[in-house]
Amino acid sequence: MKKIIIAIDGYSGCGKSTTAKAVAKALRYTYLDSGAMYRAVTLYFLENHIDTSQPEEIDRSLREIEIEFRHNEADGTQQVYLNGVNVEREVRGMEVSASVSEISKIPQVRATLVEKQRGLGKNKGIVMDGRDIGTVVFPNAELKIFMKADTIIRAERRQRELLEKGQRVSLDKVQENLESRDAQDSGREISPLKKAEDAVELDTSYLDFNEQVLRILELAKERM
Ligand code: C5P
């Protein structure tokens, strides 16, 4: 069986990453959360008060940023590291969520991260989730999935996830953040969030998680 690239794009909070992780596990593929990379860059920019109106300052910062993913053997999770420090908790918080779409619009940020993502996928056997994976990062991916779900359902899921991580945020605030990110991600000039023409659309509002994963595995096997 040949190794393929599976690109999973879609709106914020559709369950892309949990689905992508389960698909990668079943196929023994690598999983890459491209959103975590944009989140790590955003955290760095916030912590270091980077002036995003200064292109040289952005370029200098991007050269200083090293992003890695490490496996936590104890619980099987993947955690994101920024310059050697585990920032998994910080990058998922509301502060980073509120600024990440603004930082993701910056052309140099996208160019740097897209190059890294392509490098990580060059040997195939990877499931990558994000907003532009099927359209820009891997336009020739063998399988492209575009996920969507009702906003209220996405907000409830995201609120639960935040609570599990110890952050209590009102449903209105979570929903507002999801809607604002969707609008910014879909409306930006470079690599806007949109369904690739050849992507398979999956509405996860009322799909059972296992069904979702099985459907993607079926589609993947047809392409191997
Ligand atoms: O996937 P996640 O919700 O963690 O992504 C956070 C943000 O990162 C998105 O709202 C979007 O602004 C940005 N992003 C992006 N391109 C990607 C992945 C994420 O612009 N491939």
Side-chain angles (χ1 to χ4, degrees):
M1 259 197 279
K2 74 170 200 263
K3 283 194 171 179
I4 63 168
I5 293 180
I6 304 179
I8 303 186
D9 290 302
Y11 295 98
S12 297
C14 284
K16 293 187 299 294
S17 56
T18 20
T19 308
K21 252 180 246 168
V23 170
K25 193 170 176 206
L27 296 172
R28 295 174 195 256
Y29 275 20
T30 303
Y31 163 64
L32 194 111
D33 176 356
S34 71
M37 299 172 89
Y38 287 94
R39 287 173 179 274
V41 169
T42 303
L43 179 66
Y44 183 95
F45 278 34
L46 290 174
E47 282 183 340
N48 295 282
H49 309 285
I50 303 305
D51 180 353
T52 52
S53 67
Q54 302 297 321
E56 305 80 41
E57 202 169 322
I58 294 176
D59 287 335
R60 191 171 357 100
S61 308
L62 288 169
R63 282 195 298 275
E64 282 165 8
I65 294 176
E66 202 200 316
I67 301 168
E68 282 170 276
F69 291 96
R70 294 190 201 163
H71 278 283
N72 182 338
E73 298 297 341
D75 60 7
T77 57
Q78 184 174 279
Q79 319 239 302
V80 60
Y81 282 70
L82 172 63
N83 294 336
V85 178
N86 183 337
V87 291
E88 184 60 36
R89 202 183 131 75
E90 291 81 350
V91 299
R92 306 292 165 192
M94 285 306 278
E95 209 186 330
V96 167
S97 293
S99 301
V100 65
S101 291
E102 207 48 51
I103 302 298
S104 304
K105 281 183 196 162
I106 303 172
Q108 299 105 296
V109 170
R110 300 210 72 81
T112 305
L113 295 188
V114 167
E115 194 188 321
K116 277 193 212 281
Q117 291 153 8
R118 287 189 179 140
L120 292 163
K122 70 177 187 304
N123 295 327
K124 301 209 175 187
I126 193 163
V127 185
M128 200 176 290
D129 78 325
R131 303 294 186 291
D132 61 343
I133 311 304
T135 50
V136 174
V137 182
F138 297 118
N140 297 321
E142 287 82 357
L143 176 58
K144 300 179 187 178
I145 303 287
F146 190 82
M147 283 175 60
K148 58 185 210 175
D150 294 349
T151 317
I152 185 69
I153 293 179
R154 295 193 274 135
E156 281 167 1
R157 284 185 193 151
R158 185 47 59 92
Q159 187 192 37
R160 226 176 297 129
E161 271 171 27
L162 283 164
L163 198 59
E164 278 163 17
K165 290 190 169 137
Q167 273 202 59
R168 190 177 293 274
V169 188
S170 75
L171 194 61
D172 281 354
K173 203 162 171 218
V174 176
Q175 184 165 344
E176 209 178 273
N177 174 259
L178 292 180
E179 285 173 343
S180 136
R181 280 198 286 138
D182 286 345
Q184 291 190 70
D185 295 344
S186 309
R188 70 180 169 225
E189 234 167 87
I190 319 171
S191 317
L193 164 66
K194 64 169 188 231
K195 178 180 167 293
E197 270 181 28
D198 51 349
V200 178
E201 194 170 294
L202 213 59
D203 185 332
T204 68
S205 309
Y206 304 104
L207 259 189
D208 167 61
F209 177 71
N210 292 324
E211 278 171 4
Q212 212 164 285
V213 174
L214 283 175
R215 175 85 189 108
I216 299 177
L217 288 173
E218 255 170 38
L219 292 164
K221 295 211 165 113
E222 288 166 11
R223 290 158 174 80
M224 285 175 166

